Amino acid sequence: MRKQDVESVQTNQDPLWCTLPCLNHRQQEHMKSDQTRVLISEQYQPVSLSGTQTFVSVCLSPPLKMACGFCSLRPTLTSLFSSSHALALAPTPHWRSSSLRISRALSAATLPISSSFFTWDDVFEIGRKESASPQNSSSDLTRFLEKIDRCNRGSEKLAEFIPFVIEEQIVGYIHKGFTEYLREFHDTFTFSKNGCVGGDYVTLSLMFEKPEDRTRAVADVIKILGDKGIIPGIRNELYPVKPSFHSSALFSLERAAAPYFGLKGYGVHMNGYVERDGQKSLWIGKRSLTKSTYPGMLDHLVAGGLPHGISCGDNLVKECEEEAGISKVIADRAIPVGAVSYMDIDQYCFKRDVLFCYDLKLPEDFVPINQDGEVESFKLIPAAQVANVIRETSFFKANCSLVIIDFLFRHGFIRPESSGYLDLYRSLRNGDCS
């Protein structure tokens, strides 16, 4: 990138540099002898330049890349930095614009990052703002709407995908660019024109008649693509491939590959809360920095994808034990309260997810203890303050915001008197929950 292409606040005719604070011991040890800086480009694409100083090349940093939750290898700065404090780069009502620009000076001393670089102190500071009261928690519904929009990007790119068809049923959508990788495996994948879906589509060879045969054949392909880095983050966890939730599985596919095939995915998300003196507080988890996806970001007390061969209820009980040390006796009290869904396109990835939502009222003296190493720590935070953190930052894993906004509706923190109430409610419920 040419120096003149860099977006900057003109100070002595030099591009703007902002020092990133080392916010924990691990980072201090790793970078104690370096001055770590990040360059803000016109498209918010951080770049690495050569020279005597050490630079963070954010577009190549795996932890930050995965924290954004994008399948793209080039996350934008808006997804990495919080809108709170001095740097306000979180989405605005016009956040879909590709020509967003930095319009005010940056303050390096107060630069929270919306991945693993914020602390619980940052969370509590933002949550305790004056607007984080039950009376005012719904005062700015526009920012809640932005969080819903964040999970529903890319609808204008639908024409770039073609159906993935099994037994004459559409089970997913594959980007035309990604199909070039699949064409190498002509013994497994077949490309047809003007067939049962009225146009081009991808299917599997007719030689694979049984679900288990399809599972094995596609698994061999996914392993090769995973080894090449084309499909990162292989988890060795199978998702069912089916056109709708109550349909029979036509085969099973590696979880990490599901967005590349545009499969309908399902998960369970549970809001664990405590009620004390008439005030509801939510237990919030901070994901481990070693997580392959969204490391260090905020999450529900319990959440997880729905693998092949397990019911929602049984999966929730399992996740409760693994993620928070909640016994089956307590977990069985969780109440199913509905579902939210979203469709998100990012380059080759098409996420079509349905999240089954649960509420669990916990004893006042309950303290969660993570069992599987995937959660760094938990904090009990008043629900009104959680609402403020969602509104003001990008600290939460994106789809968790949807489930918590649903909780805020159902528990009266977002009220019909608020301007935009019906628009927000409609957006939250506008997905495909089939």
Side-chain angles (χ1 to χ4, degrees), residues 26 63 66 116 286-296 372-376:
R26 179 186 299 182
M66 298 309 296
S116 57
K286 195 170 190 295
R287 295 163 69 91
S288 169
L289 291 173
T290 62
K291 285 281 289 180
S292 61
T293 56
Y294 314 98
D372 59 9
E374 295 188 357
V375 182
E376 175 188 288

Side-chain angles (χ1 to χ4, degrees), residues 129-141 144 383-385 387-388 391-392 408 412-415 418:
K129 286 186 176 181
E130 183 179 352
S131 60
S133 65
Q135 293 79 11
N136 296 321
S137 65
S138 62
S139 60
D140 189 353
L141 299 188
F144 288 137
Q385 295 186 19
N388 214 41
R391 184 170 50 239
E392 298 293 332
L408 297 174
F413 291 93
I414 299 176
R415 298 178 178 276
S418 300

Side-chain angles (χ1 to χ4, degrees), residues 1 4 16 55-57 79 85 165 171 193 203 214 221 229 238 312:
M1 176 177 290
Q4 56 265 39
L16 174 67
F55 303 97
V56 175
S57 179
S79 67
H85 301 353
V165 176
V171 295
K193 293 180 178 292
T203 187
R214 297 168 185 151
V221 173
L238 293 178
C312 289

Side-chain angles (χ1 to χ4, degrees), residues 121-193:
D121 287 342
D122 296 320
V123 174
F124 283 109
E125 178 184 350
I126 294 165
R128 284 192 293 260
K129 286 186 176 181
E130 183 179 352
S131 60
S133 65
Q135 293 79 11
N136 296 321
S137 65
S138 62
S139 60
D140 189 353
L141 299 188
T142 299
R143 293 190 181 180
F144 288 137
L145 185 60
E146 290 164 2
K147 299 309 188 235
I148 297 173
D149 286 347
R150 165 61 185 83
C151 290
N152 290 280
R153 302 170 301 168
S155 59
E156 72 280 3
K157 300 177 182 177
L158 282 171
E160 299 175 13
F161 291 78
I162 60 176
F164 180 35
V165 176
I166 305 294
E167 293 185 3
E168 298 188 351
Q169 301 179 83
I170 297 177
V171 295
Y173 297 89
I174 304 176
H175 194 277
K176 294 174 183 177
F178 188 76
T179 62
E180 297 306 311
Y181 297 115
L182 303 182
R183 290 181 189 276
E184 300 178 15
F185 304 95
H186 49 80
D187 291 337
T188 302
F189 293 95
T190 300
F191 294 81
S192 301
K193 293 180 178 292

